[in-house]
Amino acid sequence: MMMDSVFLAELPWPEAQRRIAAGAPIFLPLGSTEQHGHHMAMNVDVVIPTAIAASVASEVGGLVAPTIAYGNRSQPRTGGGPAFPGTVNITAHTFSLLVKDVICDLHRQKVRRIVVLNGHYENIGPSIEGIELALDAIGRDRAADVTILRIDHWEMVRAETLARVFPDGYPGIELEHASVIETSMMLALRPELVDLDRALHDGPARFKPYDRYPRPAEEVPPSGVLSLTEGSSAEKGRWLLSDCETRIAEIVKREFA
Ligand code: ZN
Ligand code: MN
């Protein structure tokens, strides 16, 4: 039913007005349109934070603003980089201004509790900058009643869960691009967007511990997957999503109490 939706854009405006007036926290998911190997759709970084935000919002009486579906430039060492057709990069400058403008306009409408939920590694810095620019624009002295939380969903996974998901050791979040965490979460959320039979298994990537410009593409596995997809499962995806949903709900309840 339209009136029950947690998605802000699916509501008629009087219902949005009513929920904002009631103090609903607003979730702003940040994604990207980025290659995720041969075996997954390119909207992985959109699907995952949007789904987590919707789940938490329904638990805490929040609303989910439209996800920003373009991300800050994909980098070879964390997302494969710009060489893959279909990846659409926007600059850090533009991305931070998008985050800033959305927060400022929500603030103008009396929203005072915002959760920026990020699903794309390269959005970390520009999302921080966007929040800082919003606070500059609002005025630090006028922002005393505003609380903005910024969360990277992968930071919400418990060590015990990582140990269960990666019995042979966790490769680290940078190399997790299109690998076991994202593939498992997508198998749990949108299995029709995953086809494991198409995975090339050409990783893991062996990157030098620094960047070089313009970047050579040969360090990125041809598939675009930076680590391995073996061991991905919908069950693991549910463990990972459950950690994210549980912890974010706890954080939101505590911070906005
Ligand atoms: Zn991703
Ligand atoms: Mn990404």
Side-chain angles (χ1 to χ4, degrees):
M1 274 304 299
M2 176 171 74
M3 299 300 275
D4 298 331
S5 180
V6 294
F7 292 104
L8 177 70
E10 293 184 359
L11 298 174
W13 73 259
E15 177 63 10
Q17 179 185 48
R18 189 190 71 72
R19 295 217 221 155
I20 288 170
I26 306 276
F27 293 76
L28 174 61
L30 307 180
S32 72
T33 298
E34 179 182 50
Q35 70 83 20
H36 278 73
H38 290 220
H39 70 291
M40 282 200 290
M42 291 193 291
N43 62 353
V44 171
D45 294 354
V46 169
V47 167
I48 293 172
T50 305
I52 295 169
S55 170
V56 179
S58 68
E59 189 182 332
V60 302
L63 287 169
V64 183
T67 302
I68 296 181
Y70 297 103
N72 178 43
R73 294 180 209 262
S74 179
Q75 297 295 302
R77 287 203 282 150
T78 47
F84 294 88
T87 295
V88 180
N89 290 309
I90 63 174
T91 64
H93 180 62
T94 301
F95 188 87
S96 62
L97 293 179
L98 258 173
V99 171
K100 173 211 153 198
D101 282 357
V102 172
I103 292 173
C104 284
D105 212 41
L106 291 172
H107 179 265
R108 181 185 62 79
Q109 301 181 42
K110 308 271 189 288
V111 173
R112 294 295 180 265
R113 299 160 161 184
I114 298 172
V115 183
V116 176
L117 182 56
N118 180 34
H120 173 63
Y121 191 88
E122 294 85 339
N123 288 346
I124 295 174
S127 62
I128 293 169
E129 178 67 1
I131 292 166
E132 296 282 8
L133 289 172
L135 293 173
D136 287 343
I138 292 164
R140 304 274 166 168
D141 49 336
R142 294 176 52 230
D145 61 343
V146 179
T147 302
I148 303 166
L149 308 177
R150 201 202 66 84
I151 299 172
D152 303 308
H153 69 68
W154 52 88
E155 299 287 352
M156 299 292 107
V157 177
R158 293 176 301 152
E160 308 92 91
T161 305
L162 283 178
R164 278 203 292 167
V165 170
F166 297 99
D168 301 324
Y170 179 44
I173 191 61
E174 299 88 349
L175 279 190
E176 258 304 303
H177 177 74
S179 303
V180 172
I181 289 181
E182 286 187 318
T183 302
S184 296
M185 285 177 160
M186 286 297 283
L187 283 169
L189 291 168
R190 298 288 303 275
E192 76 280 14
L193 298 179
V194 185
D195 183 353
L196 282 174
D197 292 340
R198 291 180 183 269
L200 292 191
H201 309 295
D202 54 357
R206 287 180 219 293
F207 291 112
K208 298 180 177 70
Y210 55 85
D211 297 317
R212 191 193 307 117
Y213 299 88
R215 300 185 187 84
E218 61 264 25
E219 292 171 1
V220 179
S223 69
V225 177
L226 299 187
S227 188
L228 297 170
T229 51
E230 279 109 331
S232 301
S233 72
E235 183 187 33
K236 288 181 178 177
R238 283 188 290 272
W239 299 342
L240 294 158
L241 290 163
S242 164
D243 273 16
C244 292
E245 293 161 2
T246 304
R247 277 187 78 187
I248 295 172
E250 284 168 8
I251 290 166
V252 165
K253 287 174 189 166
R254 185 175 68 238
E255 294 286 344
F256 295 155

